[in-house]
Amino acid sequence: MLSITKKVITAFGVLLMSLGGAGATYAQGASIAQLPMGGSIDMTMPLYKSRIVTVEQPSGRVAVGNPDIADIVVISPTQMYILAKDIGNTNLLFWARDGRLLGSVNLEVSHDLDGLKAKLHQLLPNEAIEIYSAQRSIVLKGRASTAATMDAAVRIAEGYLAQIQTAKKAQQFELEEGRSRREDEAV
């Protein structure tokens, strides 16, 4: 039996935890979150997944703390579509038409650890491998029956890490494309 104690694969996200507090917590599985009037909710979303947030009163203005982490699209005055774009934390703020703050969402975007756990269980059902995250790394811990099984688990996890590289390359392309347009316009 080979031990995979704290095998770290670089470039991953944040451990899925909810930080208690005044608001509700919505984990990866919840597709619609209700924002209580004047309150806040903590929400964890996997990279490239989306959620709907509803507010009790029509919203006049919305803002994203870090648009590199998430996008927000107003579907209707009471429904917002949130898309997780990169690993990290940000917040979303919602104001009423009269300027009152309706509420906020504290958003944590991480890799799809539930999907990775399911895939490992599907492909390596008899292996006792736990999955954690720390910063932008995936941590595999447990025992593998063979070295080949351990390597397979690492390769599967690395596939999930490739999502971050895709996000970074897309952001770099957008930045470079924006610079090219400005340079062309200046001529």
Side-chain angles (χ1 to χ4, degrees), residues 22 35-41 55-56 94 100-104:
L35 181 61
M37 186 64 171
S40 69
I41 56 176
V55 292
E56 293 178 13
F94 304 87
R100 288 177 299 111
L101 185 65
L102 293 174
S104 64

Side-chain angles (χ1 to χ4, degrees), residues 73-88:
V73 176
V74 177
I75 297 172
S76 75
T78 59
Q79 284 192 328
M80 313 316 151
Y81 171 85
I82 315 268
L83 174 66
K85 293 172 38 179
D86 196 8
I87 301 295

Side-chain angles (χ1 to χ4, degrees), residues 7 27 35 54 61 67 77 96 122 130 133 152 156 158 166 176 178 187:
K7 175 73 178 177
L35 181 61
T54 61
R61 186 170 47 130
Q122 176 187 7
E130 297 174 30
S133 62
I156 293 166
E158 285 173 338
T166 301
E176 290 170 5
V187 174

Side-chain angles (χ1 to χ4, degrees), residues 17-58:
M17 296 186 295
S18 61
L19 308 168
T25 300
Y26 291 86
Q28 288 187 23
S31 61
I32 298 180
Q34 176 70 40
L35 181 61
M37 186 64 171
S40 69
I41 56 176
D42 296 330
M43 185 184 303
T44 300
M45 290 175 51
L47 185 62
Y48 300 128
K49 299 289 182 175
S50 60
R51 298 286 183 270
I52 302 292
V53 173
T54 61
V55 292
E56 293 178 13
Q57 291 186 0

